Structure formats: structure tokens, C-alpha cells
Amino acid sequence: MLRKFLLTTVFASGFALAANAAEQVEVLHWWTSGGEAAALDVLKQKLESQGVTWKDMPVAGGGGEQAMTALRARVTAGDPPTAVQALGFDITDWAKQGVVGDLGDVAGKEGWDKVVPTALQNFAMYDGKWIAAPVNVHSTNWVWINKKALDAAGGKAPESWDELIAVLDKMKENGITPLAHGGQAWQDATIFDAVVLSLGTDFYKAAMIDLDPAALNSDKMKEAFDRMAKLRSYVDDNFSGRDWNLASAMVIEGKGGMQMMGDWAKGEFLKAGQKPGEDFVCIRFPGTQGAVTFNSDMFMMFKVGDANKNAQLMMASDIMSPDFQSSFNVVKGSVPARTDVPDAAFDDCGKKGMKDLAEANSSGELFGSMAHGYAAPAAVKNALYDVVTRHFNGEIDSAEAAKQLADAVAAARG
Ligand code: GAL
């Protein structure tokens, strides 16, 4: 007990908190793959070294849909966890319910508003209060390519749609599954983010952010769906329901040529001991260079009793510390959610991710990811998922999909 009282953490800003005996944080999250668990462990270890007990509540399922269902049940029962991994509009939706906590005490003393990009503050704050601590910035317009498979397909990383198709064709000829993919709605939507963006940043903004009916049901959208159908032709027959990390494993093992996935995929390559540039290559989805569709994992804090309030603030403070943002994101595959963290500890893909993010932010080409809840609230996102997945599975053609996309969004917006 005395030991716990002595475990005082002094923060860079001079802010100090100490764990009281038996303080704990219960954390709901969906980080259950190898790479994700390794990253989460960095946070868990940090808190445990400060005397805070970590109560784990993992809910498997990439993209977090199942986790959000589990959260609803806990909040409805009047027993929310201390902290919950959450994305974008879901955070705002919970804030509107009046159940989230207030991190103002730490955020103010530590000057979060000076170092967290505005695009993230828009979601981490509600009604002028900090309600969530952003732990990273991921982005969805990446492609992860097996280096040997790329070399066997000519060795040049594709920079345009036509070059991408040429590489995929070559990989097919070489007898591997060109595109490793898992048939789950959120994974289909993750590719869709990149495909829409590859047809122009104005188009992405009009369709995914502004939800403009004229962009949703347009010739360009039909072209986006044609591209999706083309990509589907490079996926193997067993893709239905496959988890994203198993698709990453196919690329790691060389059975698959590439995966179009957010940079959490890098966490899997690293966990398998692979190195960027040697074993795998990271590129922006061809045609989207310069632009970024982001999603930031945030730990949204719920109202907790006095017994655990201190631990909750310690967790938030730990998450926001520059050292932690570096050590966590190096493992996770993402980049820091603060603008003042050096890139020294990051590998080449991480350095590129940080540079791309800063450039996209200043050129106005940084957009919220539709697939990961940063473009529109869940009702609209789910309506989009449904159409994208039915089209990917060949149930509707591209023209019909564009029409249904506009109709589904209109219905979801009410
Ligand atoms: C995303 C999340 C990532 C990663 C991925 C797959 O929504 O932001 O951190 O966990 O799902 O599970």
C-alpha cells in the first residue's frame, strides 16, 4: 500500500498524480490481433508500473462494431467501463447522451489543445470539454505488399490505377492470391475509402463527407464501384468472413501479394518480425498520394465514481505523453496524435505516415475515413457499408450500387 502511494508520476508539464491503493481502470477495446495486443500492452505496462490495476475487456472484431454493441449493453445497465476505445462520430453520439467524463483537469494543465490537431479535437472534445484522449492517427489509404511477390511482378510499386492492375495481373500469373482480403463489411468499406479517394479528393469530400446526393449517385461513383468489382476479381474464393489479420498473414507468408488496409496492418508485419523495405513495402493506394483518410483511436472516458477518477486521469495523461505516443505508435503502425513527437523512433513507413499526415493537413487533403467513423455518424456509415458489401459480393451492379448508395444515405439521414 505504501508502495502505491509512493508511485508518483511527475509529468512534463509539472502535473503530478499518484495512484491510490486498489485503483483500477477497466478498458473496453477491440485490439485482439497480435500487433494490436502488443501495442495495447505498452499502455497496460505503463499504468501497471504506476500502481494502477488494468481490468481488460477485449471484444474481438476489427473496426469495433461488436465492441460498440458490448458498450451499449454496459451503459444501458448503468455500469460503463472506465475507458473505451472509440472512433469519431461514435464519441460525439455518446457525449450527447451525457454519460461521458471530463478530462479538463489534465487537458488544461498539459496544454493538449496546443498539440492535438484540430481535426482530432473536433471529436475528442464536446461542448468545449475534453472527453477522450486520442492515442494515435491511423489512415486507411495504404497498400501493404509482399516484397518478394512485388519483385517477381516486376519490382516497381504501382503509382496509378493502371500500374496497380498490371501488378495484380502479374501476381495472378505467378500463382498467388493477388489481393488478400477478408469479406467483412468494414474491410470492404476500408478499400472503398481508398478507391473513392483515388478518383479525386473533391469527389471524396463531396460523396463521403458532404454526403452530396449528386456525388453519391454519379458516373464517378459508378466508376468507383467498377474499380471495386475489378479488385474483387483478384481476391480468393475463401474470403468471406476472414479476419483482417488473417489477410495480413497471407501477405506475410507470401500466399497473398498485397493487402489494402489501414496501417494497423503494419503492426502484424512487425509482430511477425518483418521489416519495411526488406520483407514488405508500404505505399499509398495508387492515385491517392498526397491525401490521407484518417481515423484516430481515442479512449473515451465515462463518468466513474471517485474511487477510480484519479486512475482515469492518470490513464489520459499517460496516453497523451509524448514518450508514450512514440513508443505506442511505433508498435501499433499508426502515428502520434500530437504534432510535437519526433519521428526518430519510427521506421520508414511510420516516418512516411507522419510526413503524409502533416502535408495532407496543410494542403487541405486530410479527410475523415468513412469506413472508420470519421466521415459520418454510425447510421449513415452502416447504410454505406450495406451497399458497398452487397456490390462487392456481386449482388448488384455498379449503376444500381451508386443509386442505392444515394438512397440509403438519404434514408439514414432521415
Ligand atoms: C480500426 C482501429 C484500428 C484497428 C482496426 C482493426 O477501426 O482504428 O486501431 O484496431 O480497426 O481492428
Side-chain angles (χ1 to χ4, degrees):
M1 172 141 152
L2 179 65
R3 195 184 67 91
K4 288 199 173 166
F5 275 110
L6 290 175
L7 283 167
T8 303
T9 313
V10 180
F11 299 93
S13 59
F15 184 64
L17 282 171
N20 296 317
E23 276 204 81
Q24 69 162 27
V25 286
E26 187 187 11
V27 186
L28 194 164
H29 63 88
W30 63 91
W31 284 336
T32 54
S33 78
E36 291 174 327
L40 188 70
D41 209 44
V42 180
L43 179 58
K44 185 177 166 208
Q45 303 264 333
K46 180 153 176 105
L47 277 156
E48 286 185 345
S49 75
Q50 293 164 334
V52 175
T53 305
W54 178 278
K55 192 170 168 203
D56 206 34
M57 190 181 172
V59 181
E65 222 173 314
Q66 291 88 330
M68 288 302 104
T69 306
L71 173 62
R72 222 163 292 126
R74 287 288 302 266
V75 180
T76 309
D79 179 29
T82 320
V84 178
Q85 179 195 354
L87 302 171
F89 282 89
D90 287 343
I91 301 173
T92 313
D93 283 348
W94 281 111
K96 284 183 185 156
Q97 314 270 318
V99 287
V100 297
D102 180 357
L103 301 175
D105 280 355
V106 249
K109 288 191 186 103
E110 297 181 358
W112 295 4
D113 56 341
K114 289 179 205 77
V115 289
V116 174
T118 317
L120 305 193
Q121 288 193 36
N122 292 341
F123 295 96
M125 295 184 78
Y126 181 76
D127 214 8
K129 291 198 180 84
W130 284 90
I131 55 170
V135 69
N136 64 15
V137 185
H138 272 303
S139 57
T140 54
N141 57 320
W142 286 105
V143 184
W144 307 91
I145 314 177
N146 178 292
K147 176 79 165 63
K148 276 204 192 96
L150 180 63
D151 288 344
K156 183 182 177 293
E159 287 176 34
S160 64
W161 175 255
D162 290 346
E163 287 182 12
L164 172 67
I165 296 306
V167 171
L168 287 164
D169 281 338
K170 199 83 190 102
M171 286 176 168
K172 198 175 205 169
E173 269 172 49
N174 292 345
I176 58 170
T177 297
L179 182 55
H181 179 66
Q184 295 175 346
W186 73 270
Q187 294 188 56
D188 301 342
T190 300
I191 299 187
F192 190 67
D193 266 2
V195 165
V196 172
L197 190 66
S198 75
L199 291 168
T201 50
D202 289 348
F203 177 56
Y204 184 90
K205 182 174 179 299
M208 300 290 112
I209 309 283
D210 301 339
L211 304 172
D212 175 1
L216 288 166
N217 185 9
S218 61
D219 286 348
K220 246 197 182 157
M221 191 56 83
K222 185 178 162 293
E223 197 182 339
F225 279 113
D226 283 344
R227 287 189 171 190
M228 292 296 287
K230 182 73 180 161
L231 293 177
R232 167 66 187 90
S233 72
Y234 298 104
V235 174
D236 65 315
D237 288 340
N238 295 325
F239 81 113
S240 253
R242 175 188 289 140
D243 286 329
W244 67 273
N245 54 315
L246 300 182
S248 307
M250 288 169 68
V251 180
I252 290 167
E253 290 161 15
K255 293 181 187 143
M258 64 178 80
Q259 182 181 22
M260 297 164 177
M261 188 45 66
D263 37 12
W264 46 91
K266 193 183 82 178
E268 298 305 300
F269 287 85
L270 299 181
K271 187 81 190 10
Q274 297 212 332
K275 293 202 169 48
E278 286 176 31
D279 307 299
F280 68 95
V281 173
C282 59
I283 58 164
R284 288 294 173 181
F285 189 97
T288 72
Q289 298 89 333
V292 168
T293 37
F294 80 93
N295 64 307
S296 161
D297 291 299
M298 301 195 179
F299 281 97
M300 166 171 60
M301 302 297 179
F302 278 81
K303 282 185 182 152
V304 287
D306 287 346
N308 293 314
K309 181 74 195 164
N310 195 43
Q312 185 180 60
L313 292 177
M314 283 180 78
M315 179 176 171
S317 180
D318 282 349
I319 287 172
M320 292 311 296
S321 88
D323 282 356
F324 173 79
Q325 290 266 336
S326 181
S327 50
F328 173 87
N329 285 305
V330 158
V331 181
K332 183 69 169 72
S334 36
V335 304
R338 310 176 47 120
T339 52
D340 61 346
V341 179
D343 70 1
F346 288 80
D347 60 31
D348 288 350
C349 297
K351 286 192 169 79
K352 175 172 167 52
M354 287 172 79
K355 192 166 160 276
D356 288 354
L357 180 66
E359 284 176 6
N361 191 28
S362 53
S363 68
E365 293 187 306
L366 175 64
F367 303 103
S369 152
M370 183 279 288
H372 295 267
Y374 275 87
V380 170
K381 182 187 83 174
N382 291 334
L384 285 155
Y385 272 19
D386 179 56
V387 178
V388 169
T389 284
R390 282 187 295 111
H391 172 269
F392 199 73
N393 291 336
E395 291 171 33
I396 46 176
D397 69 17
S398 297
E400 181 60 20
K403 184 183 170 300
Q404 287 194 15
L405 202 64
D407 291 350
V409 168
R413 297 180 90 185

